[in-house]
């Protein structure tokens, strides 16, 4: 890259006027021992309402990042990078074992003539769907692919559950199954359960006689408020049928979703952990008061490196479907994953950040020019100047595809501008600051990125002051990266971006502000101020 040199080679100076309030961090004075990156760390405490409504009130950086949620879930299941859960040992397996042992210890032995029963759900209660949800679907549910797994009887048993069911039966309880799977999937589901070892004395525990699937036409014992029954209506009325028509007392109801357990007609319920999907359903009229306890948690602690999956327990991990719903609320996205371009909590938050910075930066640019200095402002690309939300959610369903990103979005210059940022960047450039771009996009994407920026109205980005990352297998420009951690071509995002900013300073520029949506855009120094824009849709450490 042949960057234009500054007209004046001068030391970088720290701006004396604050450039922002809470969203800009000043570099430490010369000689100070404080870490200039100490504020550039992700949040670790989150409030997530299961209905997604937290996206209306929380700031973007106070929402769980979906990539962090995925890594936390994978740590909990001991899953590989391919989304395959460890079948031998994991925090999930350990938590299940504890729940199973504690439940069996509390469950009394009964006389079979007493007609006591225990009810089990299927998915993630008796049959384990993790490898499908993550490995095959990448947490984006596909009913066609799910049906293939069902038909092929591909699900392993939930760890420990065949022995648990056998032990429950040995205590004198009659076993029933109630699942939301459709009636066409019943034969394959019952066979899958038998293949996984749900048997007593060689006979299958679950059969067509005691395993209920959701019929296309509801039986007379299921009454629903609307033509289409809810999950709770179907399951609660089926339990009512088992108790009132078949003469059993359901001592325990076991499920991984709260909707498996709501609606009464069971003496006790056992909730198994499952942060991989969320299936809510309105409770039935006249539900017992105890159903008030059958509600998801709303407060979570989650480290950005995913390590909380090893310590927090399944219910202590934000459910990924609730997180998606929260993010979509924040962007006011449609069901198709398209963000509202006019009004949303995200746009409102951005407007506040931009208002805090625009005039202050304009004044700082003018002041440094009057002092004979060379002020510059650095901007990242994705979700700092170019808005990727519709690609991340609408096109990719939060499953990043680098081929599609380049083919369908970068090269066609298809990204809209981040709301409000065109005006801010143009104002800074008009005030005399050099506008600099530093992005993790590759050199092969540089021309298209500059074209996209110009296309949506940015007037001050130029090839001379736009840094893209070298292509894989090539050596970075030694003029810029020689003597840095990137000299050999292999380095972190922080090393790459901070080296580019250091080069700017060596050319006489004073980087008075650095804008980015990732903490890795901002860490590493060589900027007087950092401005973090909100982005919970991916995490690049």
């Amino acid at each position: 890259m042949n960057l234009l040199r500054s007209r004046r080679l001068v030391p970088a100076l720290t701006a004396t006027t604050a450039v922002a309030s809470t969203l800009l961090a000043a570099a430490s004075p010369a000689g100070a021992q404080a870490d200039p990156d100490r504020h550039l760390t992700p949040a670790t405490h989150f409030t997530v309402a299961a209905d997604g409504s937290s996206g209306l009130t929380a700031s973007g950086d106070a929402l769980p990042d979906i990539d962090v949620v995925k890594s936390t879930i994978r740590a909990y299941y001991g899953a590989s990078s391919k989304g395959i859960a460890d079948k031998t040992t994991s925090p999930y397996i350990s938590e299940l074992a504890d729940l199973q042992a504690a439940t069996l210890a509390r469950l009394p032995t009964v006389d079979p003539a007493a007609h006591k029963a225990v009810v089990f759900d299927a998915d993630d209660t008796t049959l384990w769907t993790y490898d499908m949800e993550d490995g095959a679907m990448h947490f984006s549910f596909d009913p066609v692919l799910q049906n293939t797994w069902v038909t092929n009887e591909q699900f392993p048993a939930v760890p420990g559950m065949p022995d648990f069911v056998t032990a429950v039966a040995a205590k004198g309880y009659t076993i029933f199954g109630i699942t939301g799977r459709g009636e066409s999937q019943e034969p394959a589901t019952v066979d899958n359960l038998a293949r996984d070892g749900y048997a007593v004395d060689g006979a299958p525990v679950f059969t067509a006689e005691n395993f209920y699937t959701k019929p296309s036409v509801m039986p007379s014992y299921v009454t629903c408020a609307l033509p289409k029954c809810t999950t709770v209506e179907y399951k609660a009325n089926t339990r009512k049928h088992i108790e009132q028509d078949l003469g059993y007392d359901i001592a325990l109801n076991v499920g991984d979703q709260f909707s498996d357990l709501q609606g009464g007609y069971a003496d006790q319920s056992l909730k198994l952990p499952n942060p991989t999907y969320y299936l809510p359903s309105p409770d039935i009229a006249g539900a017992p008061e105890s159903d008030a306890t059958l509600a998801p948690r709303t407060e979570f602690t989650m480290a950005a490196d995913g390590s909380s999956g090893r310590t927090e327990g399944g219910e202590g991990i934000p459910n990924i479907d609730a997180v998606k719903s929260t993010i979509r609320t924040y962007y006011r996205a449609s069901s198709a994953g398209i963000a509202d371009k006019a009004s949303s909590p995200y746009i409102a938050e951005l407007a506040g950040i931009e208002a805090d910075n625009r005039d202050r930066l304009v004044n700082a640019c003018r002041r440094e020019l009057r002092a004979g200095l060379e002020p510059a402002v650095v901007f990242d690309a994705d979700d700092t100047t170019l808005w990727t939300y519709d690609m991340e959610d609408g096109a990719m369903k939060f499953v990043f595809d680098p081929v599609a990103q380049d083919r369908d979005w970068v090269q066609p210059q298809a990204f809209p501008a981040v709301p409000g940022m065109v005006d801010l960047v143009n104002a800074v450039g008009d005030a005399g600051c050099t506008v600099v771009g530093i992005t993790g996009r590759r050199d092969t994407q540089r021309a298209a990125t500059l074209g996209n920026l110009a296309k949506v109205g940015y007037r001050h980005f130029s090839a001379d002051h736009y840094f893209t990352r070298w292509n894989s297998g090539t050596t970075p420009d030694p003029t810029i990266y020689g003597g840095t951690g990137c000299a050999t071509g292999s380095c972190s995002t922080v090393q790459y971006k901070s080296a580019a900013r250091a080069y700017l300073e060596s050319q006489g520029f004073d980087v008075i502000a650095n804008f980015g949506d990732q903490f890795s855009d901002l860490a590493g120094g060589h900027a007087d101020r950092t401005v973090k824009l909100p982005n919970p849709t991916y995490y690049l450490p």
Side-chain angles (χ1 to χ4, degrees):
M1 182 185 300
N2 181 22
L3 289 178
L4 290 180
R5 292 177 61 85
S6 165
R7 293 187 298 276
R8 306 174 186 85
L9 291 176
V10 295
L13 300 179
T14 300
T16 57
T17 301
V19 181
S21 53
T22 58
L23 287 153
L24 282 178
S28 298
Q33 298 301 310
D35 179 5
D37 294 341
R38 64 192 181 280
H39 300 301
L40 299 176
T41 55
T44 57
H45 181 77
F46 305 93
T47 299
V48 182
D51 63 0
S53 59
S54 299
L56 293 171
T57 56
S59 70
D61 284 334
L63 300 180
D65 187 285
I66 198 157
D67 282 350
V68 174
V69 174
K70 289 179 181 179
S71 66
T72 304
I73 290 173
R74 288 169 181 151
Y76 177 60
Y77 286 91
S80 68
S81 59
K82 294 184 178 180
I84 304 302
D86 192 312
K87 306 302 186 295
T88 304
T89 180
S90 68
Y92 170 69
I93 291 173
S94 296
E95 186 173 11
L96 278 181
D98 290 344
L99 286 170
Q100 292 158 356
T103 302
L104 285 174
R106 292 194 303 267
L107 194 68
T109 299
V110 296
D111 185 339
H115 282 76
K116 297 285 187 178
V118 176
V119 170
F120 294 88
D121 172 53
D123 293 311
D124 297 290
T125 300
T126 49
L127 297 175
W128 195 10
T129 75
Y130 185 87
D131 292 355
M132 178 192 75
E133 293 288 345
D134 186 4
M137 298 181 182
H138 313 297
F139 299 116
S140 182
F141 185 70
D142 180 342
V144 175
L145 183 54
Q146 185 253 12
N147 190 62
T148 298
W149 277 65
V150 172
T151 303
N152 292 342
E153 303 173 17
Q154 289 179 252
F155 298 103
V158 168
M161 288 304 287
D163 289 342
F164 179 80
V165 172
T166 299
V168 168
K171 282 178 171 277
Y173 295 87
T174 299
I175 305 299
F176 289 90
I178 305 177
T179 176
R181 292 186 180 187
E183 60 187 346
S184 64
Q185 297 178 323
E186 182 174 311
T189 302
V190 169
D191 287 348
N192 197 159
L193 289 161
R195 285 162 57 97
D196 283 346
Y198 289 97
V200 174
D201 297 330
V205 171
F206 296 103
T207 67
E209 285 69 36
N210 68 349
F211 193 81
Y212 294 83
T213 49
K214 198 170 185 178
S216 55
V217 177
M218 289 293 169
S220 58
Y221 57 78
V222 176
T223 58
C224 306
L226 297 173
K228 185 176 181 179
C229 292
T230 67
T231 296
V232 175
E233 286 174 327
Y234 155 62
K235 292 199 168 189
N237 277 287
T238 302
R239 293 194 301 272
K240 179 181 178 182
H241 165 68
I242 292 170
E243 289 203 327
Q244 296 187 359
D245 299 335
L246 303 185
Y248 289 90
D249 172 32
I250 298 175
L252 180 66
N253 180 23
V254 186
D256 67 292
Q257 300 290 310
F258 290 104
S259 54
D260 297 332
L261 310 175
Q262 293 169 304
Y265 302 103
D267 300 338
Q268 298 181 65
S269 55
L270 172 61
K271 170 69 170 64
L272 302 185
N274 181 9
T276 67
Y277 55 86
Y278 177 58
L279 303 174
S281 176
D283 211 341
I284 60 172
E289 291 183 3
S290 59
D291 275 12
T293 64
L294 299 175
R297 278 177 52 171
T298 58
E299 301 293 326
F300 302 92
T301 298
M302 185 174 63
D305 63 1
S307 60
S308 299
R310 296 193 289 270
T311 59
E312 291 298 311
E315 298 299 328
I317 299 171
N319 187 284
I320 195 164
D321 281 350
V323 171
K324 289 179 182 178
S325 177
T326 302
I327 291 172
R328 287 168 181 150
T329 299
Y330 177 62
Y331 287 91
R332 194 170 287 172
S334 68
S335 58
I338 304 302
D340 192 311
K341 306 301 185 296
S343 175
S344 68
Y346 169 70
I347 291 173
E349 184 174 8
L350 277 180
I353 296 170
E354 291 155 357
D356 282 345
N357 284 280
R358 177 175 168 164
D359 290 346
R360 294 174 183 179
L361 281 174
V362 165
N363 291 334
C365 293
R366 292 170 176 167
R367 183 176 58 254
E368 290 216 354
L369 284 174
R370 289 195 299 269
L373 306 180
E374 287 285 348
V377 181
V378 170
F379 297 90
D380 172 52
D382 293 312
D383 296 291
T384 300
T385 50
L386 296 174
W387 195 11
T388 75
Y389 186 87
D390 292 354
M391 177 193 76
E392 293 289 344
D393 186 4
M396 297 182 181
K397 308 304 179 189
F398 299 118
V399 182
F400 184 68
D401 180 342
V403 174
Q405 182 234 23
D406 186 63
R407 180 192 64 223
D408 301 336
W409 295 83
V410 174
Q411 300 303 337
Q413 304 175 21
F415 295 105
V418 169
M421 286 301 290
V422 170
D423 288 343
L424 185 147
V425 174
N426 287 346
V428 166
D430 290 346
C433 270
T434 298
V435 171
V436 178
I438 304 179
T439 175
R441 292 186 181 188
R442 299 291 181 174
D443 286 346
T444 53
Q445 299 175 319
R446 190 161 174 257
T449 300
L450 285 163
N452 199 158
L453 289 162
K455 181 178 177 180
V456 298
Y458 293 101
R459 291 186 278 101
H460 292 282
F461 287 109
S462 69
D464 289 326
H465 296 106
Y466 208 83
F467 294 76
T468 47
R469 196 157 182 165
W470 51 95
N471 297 324
S472 179
T474 64
T475 302
D477 186 343
T479 305
I480 303 172
Y481 303 105
T484 74
C486 297
T488 62
S490 177
C491 61
S492 69
T493 298
V494 172
Q495 289 174 312
Y496 153 60
K497 293 198 170 189
S498 62
R501 295 192 300 273
Y503 174 77
L504 287 170
E505 290 183 335
S506 75
Q507 299 302 293
F509 289 103
D510 177 19
V511 179
I512 65 172
N514 178 21
F515 283 72
D517 66 290
Q518 301 291 311
F519 290 104
S520 55
D521 297 332
L522 309 175
H526 302 288
D528 300 340
R529 300 287 189 272
T530 57
V531 186
K532 173 68 170 63
L533 303 187
N535 181 11
T537 66
Y538 54 87
Y539 178 61
L540 303 174

